[in-house]
Amino acid sequence: PAADKLCKNYTSKVAAKTALQKRKDNAKEALKANTKKVIEQFQSGINTYLKQFGAGFEIIKAREEYPAGQLCLDYQLKINNVPVAINAPKGNPNAPCFKTCLSSGDKSALAFAFFLARRDADPKRADKVIIFDDPMTSLDAKRETRTCQNIVRLVSQAKQVIVLSHEAYFLRE
């Protein structure tokens, strides 16, 4: 009788563990599906801003990675319809990559596009204070105009926007 009770208890614990594992697996799959959807939207938002800035490139193959257990975004650039890795492959340091293929203005436009897409996705953006420190560095006239327009747009979406710059004309705008 005691052995039967112990066996039933063990069997119920194994069944409970199996049920928990199934719930965990289902939750993991739902999280992966949601993450994929968010990344696709994020990639689309970034590329929309890059197009607006007149960038001759876009990000492609955005996907999540978990180095050291932390979620991060991995992607490639597509420049003139040619995929370019973010980092040069090991053993080929001279291969085209982010560091060697983008100008300072392109890098600034990409960073700003990332920032804007992230702000667009933030449900609490109305409560945020946003500070820009010299956002015009290395930008051509079209990108300066678009950057200015987007900062003005953010003023109506955030709690407060602060802009620091040495460019008097830009600050007047």
Side-chain angles (χ1 to χ4, degrees):
D4 285 345
K5 186 176 179 182
L6 189 60
C7 188
K8 284 181 185 178
N9 189 22
Y10 175 77
T11 303
S12 74
K13 298 290 184 196
V14 169
K17 179 183 176 189
T18 302
L20 281 173
Q21 185 63 47
K22 185 172 183 171
R23 284 180 54 204
K24 179 182 172 185
D25 292 343
N26 289 342
K28 208 182 243 186
E29 287 305 312
L31 179 62
K32 280 178 101 173
N34 187 55
T35 301
K36 183 178 185 212
K37 179 181 163 193
V38 168
I39 287 173
E40 286 170 358
Q41 290 171 339
F42 195 59
Q43 177 177 315
S44 175
I46 292 166
N47 287 334
T48 297
Y49 285 115
L50 288 172
K51 207 173 277 180
Q52 187 185 99
F53 292 138
F57 63 94
E58 63 182 343
I59 66 167
I60 61 170
K61 297 184 181 179
R63 63 185 174 85
E64 82 269 14
E65 282 194 346
Y66 297 91
Q70 296 290 326
L71 174 64
C72 73
L73 182 67
D74 184 47
Y75 60 94
Q76 285 186 334
L77 297 174
K78 187 163 112 179
I79 304 170
N80 297 326
N81 291 321
V82 177
V84 175
I86 296 300
N87 297 307
K90 288 184 172 128
N92 190 0
N94 297 324
C97 66
F98 175 89
K99 187 177 181 180
T100 60
C101 289
L102 296 182
S103 69
S104 293
D106 287 339
K107 290 174 185 174
S108 292
L110 180 60
F112 195 51
F114 263 92
F115 173 80
L116 292 171
R118 189 167 170 219
R119 288 287 64 81
D120 290 348
D122 186 351
K124 296 182 180 181
R125 66 182 169 266
D127 299 327
K128 304 290 171 115
V129 174
I130 302 171
I131 301 172
F132 292 99
D133 184 9
D134 208 11
M136 293 297 155
T137 303
S138 303
L139 298 181
D140 60 24
K142 181 177 181 176
R143 289 180 183 170
E144 284 181 0
T145 300
R146 293 294 188 194
T147 298
C148 189
Q149 290 169 343
N150 279 292
I151 290 172
V152 169
R153 181 180 57 85
L154 288 172
V155 168
S156 66
Q157 296 177 352
K159 186 173 188 173
Q160 186 174 17
V161 175
I162 299 168
V163 181
L164 307 169
S165 179
H166 299 284
E167 307 261 346
Y169 174 77
F170 163 69
L171 290 172
R172 260 191 315 275
E173 287 295 308

